[in-house]
Amino acid sequence: MSSDHLPEPRLTLVYRLEATLGLPLDLGERPHGHRRIVPLTGGTFTGPELRGKLLPGASADWQTVLPDGTALGDIRYTLQTDGGDLLYVQSRSVRHGSAEVLARLGRGEDVDPSEYTFRTATNIEAAGPQFDWLNKGIFISVGGRQADGVIYDTYLVA
């Protein structure tokens, strides 16, 4: 077996989540950056095999904003499928770009996602044999921040 011919990864869209955001809780400066907790207050997700809603009260982004404006996220949210099944999603994210773009994002302006990088490494947990592929999958997400919300396109890496 030769390692010269490893397969290239392929991405398959699992869902698009469009979430609304609540007012951030500002915990202030910490030794490793500025800490904020941003509640995800609602939203919907749609994909080829999954669709449903985001559950408020069980969803937020625990952010650390570095001095250069880079945001590191610990994003945890709960999705409920149209069939009533619950999905627990946890992502580690990084959002970075030029100082000017990050300042605009920090002021809550709509900024085209092509002007900055917002990526996550994502894990999804679910019960039931029909969701076993989620428990075993490797996922990445591409994010886009809006004035009053956030969008995540989540992909299975195959």
Side-chain angles (χ1 to χ4, degrees):
M1 178 167 129
S2 171
S3 63
D4 296 1
H5 303 290
L6 294 175
E8 291 188 18
R10 296 179 326 273
L11 301 179
T12 303
L13 180 68
V14 177
Y15 61 80
R16 170 172 272 208
L17 170 63
E18 296 185 21
T20 56
L21 302 175
L23 294 175
L25 300 172
D26 191 329
L27 282 70
E29 289 298 324
R30 306 290 183 197
H32 300 290
H34 194 101
R35 173 66 81 177
R36 298 169 10 127
I37 302 171
V38 182
L40 282 70
T41 57
T44 59
F45 69 100
T46 57
E49 298 181 39
L50 299 170
R51 62 183 337 104
K53 63 183 179 181
L54 180 134
L55 297 181
S59 306
D61 180 359
W62 286 261
Q63 290 182 350
T64 301
V65 181
L66 303 178
D68 71 355
T70 297
L72 306 176
D74 177 4
I75 308 161
R76 301 172 189 219
Y77 55 91
T78 305
L79 301 176
Q80 184 174 39
T81 69
D82 285 348
D85 296 289
L86 298 178
L87 310 177
Y88 169 66
V89 182
Q90 183 175 10
S91 298
R92 297 281 182 195
S93 72
V94 61
R95 187 182 71 209
H96 62 86
S98 71
E100 182 270 330
V101 166
L102 294 178
R104 289 170 41 213
L105 285 168
R107 291 192 297 270
E109 297 177 20
D110 277 326
V111 179
D112 189 301
S114 68
E115 295 185 56
Y116 57 94
T117 299
F118 186 1
R119 303 291 186 268
T120 78
T122 300
N123 293 313
I124 304 173
E125 296 178 17
Q130 75 274 29
F131 297 118
D132 197 41
W133 64 278
L134 292 172
N135 296 314
K136 294 177 180 175
I138 301 291
F139 303 91
I140 62 166
S141 299
V142 176
R145 180 70 164 83
Q146 301 174 312
D148 60 350
V150 64
I151 297 173
Y152 297 109
D153 284 343
T154 298
Y155 297 87
L156 173 66
V157 180

